[in-house]
Amino acid sequence: MPITLIVNGEERATQAAPMTPLLDVLREEFFLTGAKAVCREGFCGACTVHADGIARMSCLMPVGLAQGCAITTVEAIAADGVLSPLQQALEDHDVVQCGMCFPGMVMSLTKFLEQNAHPSRDEMKTALAGNICRCTGYERIIDAVLALTNAPQAAE
Amino acid sequence: MSDPANAVMNFPRRDARDKLLGRTRYTIDHVRPGVLHAALLRSEVPSARILRIDTSIARKMPGVRAIATAEHAPGLHGIGIADHPLFAQDVIRYDGEPIAAVAADTLEQARAAAAAIVVELEEIPAVISMAESLAPGAPQIHPDWKKYEVLVEGAARGGNVAWEATVARGDTDAAFARPDVQIIDSTYRVGRQNHVSFEPRAVVASFEDGRYHIQTSTQVPWTVRNMTARILQVPASHVRVTVPAVGGGFGLKFDCSLEPYAAVLAQMSGRSVSLVNSRQEEMLTCLCRENAEIRIRSAVTKDGEIVGREATVLMDCGAYGGEQIFLTTMTAHTLGGNYKLGSVRLSSRAVYTNTAPNGAFRACNGVYNTFALERHTEEICAALGMDSLEFRRRNVLGDKDLGATGQVFEGNVLGPMLERMAALREKSPSRKTEAGDRLYGRATTVGTWFIFIGPSSATVNLNADGSATLVTSGVEIGSGTMMQSLPQIVANSLGLRPQDVIVKTADTDASGLDLGVGGGRTTVSIGAASSAACEEVRKKLLSVASEMLQTKPEKLVLTGGRIEIAGIKGSGTTIAKVVERAQQVMGPVSGSGAFTAPGVPSMPGCAAGHFIDAIDIPVFAVHECEVAVDPDTGHVEVLSYKVVQDVGRALNPRAVLSQIQGGVVQGMGYALHEEVSIDAHGRIEQSGFETYRLPLALDVVPVEIDLYEGAPSIGPLGTKGAGEVPILNVGAAIACAVSNATGKRVQELPLTPPRVLALLLDRNEPLDFPHISPTWHDNIIHTGIHASL
C-alpha cells in the first residue's frame, strides 16, 4: 500500500516503508532537499517541516504517520517566489552564513511568529532552543526577527 | 589607484536568498538517482594486526558494484611525513579506521555488504593517552617511522613523537638562575573539540574520459586534487575537483578525507559514487581540535619583567600525524606570543596515540595555548601581587619588539587595543548585579594569532556587458568572503558595483593553485591575487580608453561603471564600451594575478621543525568577559562578553561583526559545554548531539565589539582576515573569569558543571604530568639540531 500525503499542496504517494523517516522521503524521493539531515536525533531542528500546521522534526516522523497529512516544506514558504517577511528580514540583516540550519529556522520561527507576533528577546531565544546553529552565535538572527516584529507594519 | 575607503560597505551576501528558500544545493544535495552509495567498513578496535580480509561474500550481495581495500590505494600521505594509508594496511591504529569501502545501488545495500566483509584481526596493545604513549617501553604505533617519506625536512622525530618543533632564543638557564626572579610553574590540560559542521564531509565522484571528477564539501580543492592523486598513484592532472556550496567547515574540511574512497570506487564501478559521513561517523572520526597537555614556567622579576620562559606542549595527533604536524609550528607564535620575553625555549610535540586522528579547527592550538598563556599570566600576577591589566600593559608586544623566534614586530597594536577595551568597559555598565547570589568574576585577556598566507591565484575577465568574472579556487564555506570581500575588492579596483562581479565557484580545471580557505587567508591571499589581476585589466582598459578619449591613461579614472577624465564627471565613456572596443583591437580583456607569503625573517637558528618561522601578518585580540558561577551546581553563566579585534581594515563591517559573534559562541562551547572524552578502548564517547553539548540560543550573549583598524598589514587595502580569530581567546577569558570568581586555579577546559563543582570542592586531581619533565631539556629529542644548547 502506498502512503499518500499532501506535500506543499500537491497529493503525493510513496512506496517507502512506513518507518522510513519523512525526511528521507522528502529529500530522496521528492527531491525537496531544503530540509537538512544534520543530527537525525531531533536535536538540531534543521529538518523541521510543518505537518498539519505543526512544526515537526521530519527526521523523527515515520512517513507512515504522515499518511493523509498536509506537509509544508521550506520550498513552499515563499509564495510565488516572494520571500516571506521573516525570510526577507533574515536576508535584509545579512545574518545567513553557511545556511544549513536556516531552512529549519525559517520553519520553526514561521510557526512561532504565528502564535506570538510580538515576542520578547527571551521568548525568541526560547523558541530557538530547538534549532542549533554552528556559525552565527544566534544573536544577530534574533536581532533580525525582533526588527521585523517590532516594526510598525507588523502590528496588524 | 582607487580609494580603499570606497571598498568599505555592508554589501549583503548574494547566496542568502537561496539558502533561506531551501534551494541551495550542497554536496549532500547532489546525491541524485543513478548515483551509487558508498559505505566504509571501519575498525571497531583501536589496535590490531590484520590477518585476513575476505570480500568474496560481500561482492556477491545484491546491488554491490565495487569494493576497495588497501590494495587499491597503496600510497601513503600526510603533512610533513607520509605516515597515513587510505585504508588500514596490515595494521589498525584507531577505532573507526577504514578497512574497506563498498559502492552499491542503495546505502542499505552498501552498509550490508560492508558488514559482510570478513576481517580477521589479532589485537595488539593500544596506547590511548599521551602519558601512555610517552611512557618508557610504550608500544610503538608506527614502528617503521624511520622508513616513512619525509615531506618537509628539519624536525626531530622518534618513537611515538610524530614531530617536534622547538624554539630557543637566549639563555633561559641563566634567566631561571637569576637571584632576582620568581619562578612560576603551571600545568594545563584541554580536551578535543568537534567542529560539527552541519554539512558532514561528503563527496560525489565520477571517472570520465580517464580522469576523476570529484565534487566535494571541502575548504581545499587543490589539496584534495593533489592528495587524491598521490594516494591513487595517478598524475595530479588526472583529478578535477569542483566545490558546491559548503555547509560549514571551521577547519574540518581543510584536509583531504573522504574524496579518495569515492574516487577509487567510481573508477572501479564506472559510475558516479557518493560517500557521506553519518553524524555518528563525524562525531567518532572527526578531525577534532586536539586534546593537549601543557607545562609552562617563567622567570619574572618583581617589576614584572619576563626574563625567561620555557614551555612544553603535547598535542595528541591520534593515530596519524595529519595537521598536527604542521600545527606544532603555531606554539611559537601563540604560546610564545603576546608578551616580551627576555629568553624563551619552547617544545611543541605531536604525539601518536591509538585514537582517531585530529586536525585543524578555527585558530587551532592558538585557542588552548592562549588559555594556558593567559591563565599562567594570571598566576604570575598573583605571585607578584601585581594587577593583571597593569602587567599586560607593561609586557605586551609593541613596535620593534622581538617575538619568540626573533621576528621583529611592527607597530604598537596590543597596547592601544587594551586602551580601547578600557573605553568599551567604560561605555557599558558591569552586569555584576545579575550574578545575584552566585560567584562573580571578570577577566581581560590578550591573544596573538596570524594570517596563514601562502599561494593564491586569480583571473579576472571583463565582459562586454560591463560585468567582471572572478575565477579563483576560493570556496564559500559560510563566512561570506567569496560573496562579500572579494567582489568588493574587485569592484573597487575596476570602478564597478560589487553585484556586477560574478564569482566563479572553485574548479581546479579552471582556476590556479590555491592553499585553501582557512587561517583567515581568503580575503588577504585571494584578495591580493584578485587585486593583481585587476591591475592588469585596468592597464588594458586604460590603454584602449586613452585612445578613445584622447587622454593620457594617468588622467583617467574608473568609477561607477565608467572611465572618466579625472575631475570631469560625464566626460568619458562606459567601461562596457571600452571593453567592446578592446575586443576589436586587442581581444577580450582579462588579467591574471598571483600572491604568496613574502616571508618575514626570524632570528637564524631560533626555530627548528617549523613550517612558518615568523608570521607575515600577526593578528591580535583582546577579550573581556563577566561570569557568574553557581556554587551549588558549578554552572557558569557568561553575563557579558566584549571583543576588541585587530582587523586591519573591515571591508564589510557587518559581516565581520557576524564572524565575531559566531566565533565567540564557538569558543563558549569550547570553554563551557563541548566535551569529547575517550574511553579505555580508544573510542570517543560522544556519538551525537545528545551527548555532545553545543551552545544553544539561551546559552549566548550579544558580543560587544570594537573593530581595531589601521594596524600594519600587507593584505590588500590593509585587510587582515577576521573570521578565524574571534574564537582565539574565549577559553582564556572565561577560564580566567571563572578563576577570579571562584578563587581557584583553573587548569582545564571545558568548564562543565561537574568540573567546576569539583574545582569549588577542591576535588580535582592535581595535574602533575609524569610525562612532561619540569626540566625543559628532558622534553626534546636530542638529535643534534640544538647541539649548541
Side-chain angles (χ1 to χ4, degrees):
Chain A
M1 273 286 283
I3 295 160
T4 56
L5 53 168
I6 297 150
V7 180
N8 299 335
E10 185 188 344
E11 190 169 301
R12 305 291 296 261
T14 174
Q15 298 289 345
M19 284 305 288
T20 309
L22 172 64
L23 173 66
D24 292 348
V25 175
L26 293 174
R27 285 181 54 84
E28 290 163 23
E29 208 173 320
F30 303 154
F31 305 115
L32 293 166
T33 53
K36 301 299 182 205
V38 175
C39 75
R40 287 186 163 276
E41 292 180 305
F43 287 98
C44 75
C47 64
T48 306
V49 299
H50 299 165
D52 285 340
I54 296 168
R56 300 280 300 264
M57 309 228 184
S58 62
C59 71
L60 295 185
M61 186 170 184
V63 72
L65 291 183
Q67 166 70 38
C69 278
I71 305 295
T72 304
T73 71
V74 69
E75 285 88 348
I77 289 296
D80 302 322
V82 179
L83 297 184
S84 72
L86 171 66
Q87 289 170 318
Q88 191 66 55
L90 296 171
E91 184 186 58
D92 290 346
H93 287 78
D94 202 47
V95 298
V96 176
Q97 292 192 29
C98 94
M100 284 283 292
C101 71
F102 275 87
M105 292 244 179
V106 165
M107 298 310 283
S108 298
L109 292 178
T110 297
K111 275 294 149 203
F112 170 68
L113 294 178
E114 278 175 23
Q115 288 145 17
N116 186 351
H118 300 284
S120 67
R121 195 172 189 93
D122 281 351
E123 288 170 334
M124 269 294 308
K125 284 193 161 187
T126 305
L128 268 184
N131 290 89
I132 302 180
C133 175
R134 192 53 160 162
C135 297
T136 65
Y138 306 103
E139 295 287 349
R140 296 195 60 254
I141 296 173
I142 291 158
D143 290 342
V145 182
L146 290 178
L148 170 72
T149 57
N150 292 334
Q153 68 269 25
E156 70 267 41
Chain B
M1 275 303 288
S2 41
D3 181 356
N6 292 338
V8 175
M9 63 184 82
N10 286 328
F11 178 58
R13 51 192 304 157
R14 59 189 68 176
D15 59 344
R17 179 165 295 200
D18 272 11
K19 285 176 171 174
L20 289 163
L21 290 167
R23 290 180 183 171
T24 300
R25 286 175 66 198
Y26 303 85
T27 300
I28 51 165
D29 302 319
H30 283 268
V31 184
R32 292 277 159 155
V35 174
L36 299 180
H37 297 259
L40 296 176
L41 170 65
R42 294 178 180 274
S43 166
E44 293 182 352
V45 298
S47 177
R49 247 185 295 282
I50 300 175
L51 303 178
R52 185 172 74 98
I53 299 176
D54 184 352
T55 59
S56 57
I57 297 168
R59 269 174 213 290
K60 292 177 194 142
M61 289 178 58
V64 173
R65 304 293 170 188
I67 299 181
T69 59
E71 63 180 298
H72 302 103
L76 293 177
H77 66 285
I79 296 169
I81 35 170
D83 64 355
H84 197 169
L86 188 65
F87 295 102
Q89 288 176 356
D90 307 323
V91 180
I92 282 164
R93 295 192 176 87
Y94 71 95
D95 182 289
E97 182 163 15
I99 299 168
V102 181
D105 291 344
T106 70
L107 186 56
E108 291 68 31
Q109 289 170 336
R111 285 183 177 155
I117 294 171
V118 177
V119 183
E120 264 182 48
L121 299 174
E122 179 190 22
E123 287 202 49
I124 48 182
V127 287
I128 305 302
S129 69
M130 291 193 285
E132 287 166 40
S133 179
L134 295 180
Q140 292 210 1
I141 295 172
H142 292 267
D144 290 337
W145 65 271
K146 282 183 184 161
K147 293 185 192 159
Y148 291 146
E149 183 185 354
V150 176
L151 306 172
V152 175
E153 296 285 350
R157 301 157 56 218
N160 286 334
V161 177
W163 193 273
E164 182 178 278
T166 49
V167 170
R169 174 168 66 71
D171 187 346
T172 52
D173 290 341
F176 280 89
R178 274 169 58 157
D180 61 338
V181 297
Q182 277 201 59
I183 294 171
I184 295 93
D185 196 328
S186 311
T187 51
Y188 301 98
R189 178 162 66 195
V190 293
R192 297 186 186 195
Q193 185 182 24
N194 192 306
H195 312 69
V196 197
S197 61
F198 265 31
E199 184 187 31
R201 284 169 286 174
V203 54
V204 180
S206 57
F207 186 73
E208 294 159 8
D209 299 325
R211 299 179 74 224
Y212 298 87
H213 177 199
I214 294 173
Q215 274 190 97
T216 181
S217 185
T218 189
Q219 298 170 240
V220 285
W222 281 85
T223 305
V224 170
R225 172 188 183 268
N226 295 336
M227 286 276 202
T228 300
R230 181 185 170 96
I231 290 162
L232 303 186
Q233 300 191 337
V234 299
S237 60
H238 288 197
V239 182
R240 174 191 177 201
V241 178
T242 59
V243 187
V246 174
F250 314 117
L252 171 63
K253 299 167 183 173
F254 205 76
D255 205 351
C256 183
S257 62
L258 293 186
E259 295 87 354
Y261 301 104
V264 72
L265 292 170
Q267 191 272 330
M268 291 169 79
S269 65
R271 300 273 299 274
S272 291
V273 175
S274 65
L275 178 58
V276 179
N277 262 352
S278 69
R279 183 54 56 186
Q280 188 189 30
E281 284 175 301
E282 286 289 85
M283 296 307 298
L284 298 187
T285 69
C286 170
L287 303 166
C288 287
R289 188 193 309 282
E290 67 279 3
N291 51 305
E293 291 156 350
I294 299 158
R295 184 184 282 275
I296 176 170
R297 58 198 286 267
S298 300
V300 188
T301 67
K302 67 177 189 323
D303 299 329
E305 185 191 352
I306 310 162
V307 296
R309 172 160 288 165
E310 292 180 338
T312 300
V313 178
L314 302 185
M315 306 164 57
D316 187 346
C317 61
Y320 299 100
E323 283 279 346
Q324 272 61 41
I325 301 288
F326 173 85
L327 295 174
T328 55
T329 282
M330 297 321 304
T331 294
H333 309 301
T334 55
L335 198 70
N338 290 2
Y339 303 109
K340 291 175 275 197
L341 304 173
S343 61
V344 56
R345 280 178 189 156
L346 305 170
S347 158
S348 189
R349 320 177 95 182
V351 178
Y352 288 128
T353 58
N354 286 117
T355 63
N358 289 311
F361 188 153
R362 203 175 198 169
C364 299
N365 68 3
V367 169
Y368 59 74
N369 277 334
T370 302
F371 154 67
L373 176 58
E374 291 301 278
R375 277 288 304 122
H376 179 64
T377 300
E378 298 273 317
E379 291 185 0
I380 291 172
C381 295
L384 298 180
M386 187 180 280
D387 175 71
S388 64
L389 269 173
E390 179 55 28
F391 178 89
R392 288 184 172 93
R393 272 194 286 271
R394 285 188 197 182
N395 282 296
V396 290
L397 288 166
D399 192 36
K400 304 292 179 252
D401 284 332
L402 289 186
T405 62
Q407 87 171 91
V408 179
F409 279 86
E410 298 290 334
N412 278 317
V413 185
L414 266 175
M417 286 174 69
L418 280 167
E419 298 309 316
R420 290 272 284 268
M421 180 57 86
L424 198 55
R425 193 184 308 130
E426 289 294 310
K427 270 201 324 201
S428 80
S430 166
R431 306 284 178 89
K432 186 172 184 178
T433 54
E434 291 173 31
D437 294 339
R438 295 171 295 172
L439 304 166
Y440 168 86
R442 185 173 64 75
T444 310
T445 62
V446 295
T448 308
W449 186 242
F450 77 121
I451 301 300
F452 179 37
I453 301 180
S456 281
S457 57
T459 302
V460 172
N461 298 318
L462 202 56
N463 307 310
D465 58 4
S467 67
T469 308
L470 174 65
V471 183
T472 75
S473 290
V475 173
E476 178 51 55
I477 60 173
S479 63
T481 311
M482 303 303 294
M483 302 288 152
Q484 295 174 313
S485 62
L486 289 182
Q488 285 175 235
I489 287 170
V490 170
N492 183 59
S493 295
L494 298 178
L496 303 175
R497 301 178 307 165
Q499 51 268 51
D500 294 328
V501 179
I502 300 152
V503 180
K504 192 189 176 322
T505 56
D507 178 348
T508 56
D509 275 6
S511 48
L513 173 72
D514 197 279
L515 202 60
V517 168
R521 66 181 297 281
T522 316
T523 299
V524 168
S525 294
I526 303 184
S530 303
S531 287
C534 288
E535 262 324 289
E536 190 182 334
V537 168
R538 274 170 68 94
K539 277 192 189 133
K540 289 179 179 174
L541 270 183
L542 291 178
S543 81
V544 174
S546 163
E547 187 202 309
M548 288 169 75
L549 300 173
Q550 294 295 303
T551 306
K552 285 182 179 168
E554 54 271 24
K555 300 260 183 200
L556 298 174
V557 291
L558 279 74
T559 179
R562 295 174 59 84
I563 300 185
E564 306 280 22
I565 299 166
I568 314 173
K569 207 177 174 191
S571 57
T573 183
T574 64
I575 287 175
K577 285 216 173 83
V578 179
V579 173
E580 219 170 280
R581 173 74 184 151
Q583 289 180 348
Q584 289 163 5
V585 299
M586 60 186 277
V589 179
S590 68
S592 61
F595 181 76
T596 195
V600 169
S602 62
M603 197 180 280
C606 272
H610 283 67
F611 288 71
I612 302 171
D613 287 353
I615 49 182
D616 292 274
I617 306 182
V619 182
F620 301 104
V622 179
H623 287 206
E624 179 167 307
C625 76
E626 293 174 290
V627 301
V629 181
D630 187 327
D632 296 326
T633 65
H635 176 263
V636 177
E637 183 188 356
V638 175
L639 301 173
S640 73
Y641 206 97
K642 297 181 177 66
V643 170
V644 178
Q645 186 172 314
D646 162 29
V647 295
R649 181 191 301 274
L651 286 184
N652 192 319
R654 185 169 63 175
V656 173
L657 300 182
S658 290
Q659 285 301 303
I660 294 174
Q661 176 71 40
V664 166
V665 167
Q666 265 183 354
M668 287 171 59
Y670 183 68
L672 295 173
H673 309 292
E674 299 177 33
E675 178 140 48
V676 174
S677 51
I678 297 174
D679 71 16
H681 306 290
R683 180 174 295 181
I684 289 169
E685 293 180 300
Q686 292 73 16
S687 62
F689 283 25
E690 183 178 4
T691 42
Y692 191 71
R693 170 74 163 78
L694 293 163
L696 305 177
L698 287 161
D699 296 317
V700 309
V701 291
V703 179
E704 300 157 68
I705 302 163
D706 184 10
L707 301 180
Y708 185 88
E709 298 191 272
S713 173
I714 56 164
L717 312 177
T719 52
K720 296 183 176 188
E724 179 101 355
V725 192
I727 198 171
L728 181 69
N729 21 359
V730 186
I734 291 177
C736 292
V738 169
S739 183
N740 290 338
T742 58
K744 302 291 181 184
R745 196 177 183 200
V746 173
Q747 293 172 282
E748 291 190 76
L749 294 178
L751 291 165
T752 56
R755 188 164 284 132
V756 174
L757 207 51
L759 194 67
L760 287 164
L761 300 172
D762 295 317
R763 285 189 190 156
N764 279 331
E765 287 187 17
L767 274 191
D768 50 348
F769 297 131
H771 53 299
I772 311 179
S773 169
T775 307
W776 184 85
H777 283 285
D778 296 343
N779 296 318
I780 59 169
I781 296 167
H782 292 276
T783 58
I785 290 176
H786 279 301
S788 60
L789 296 177

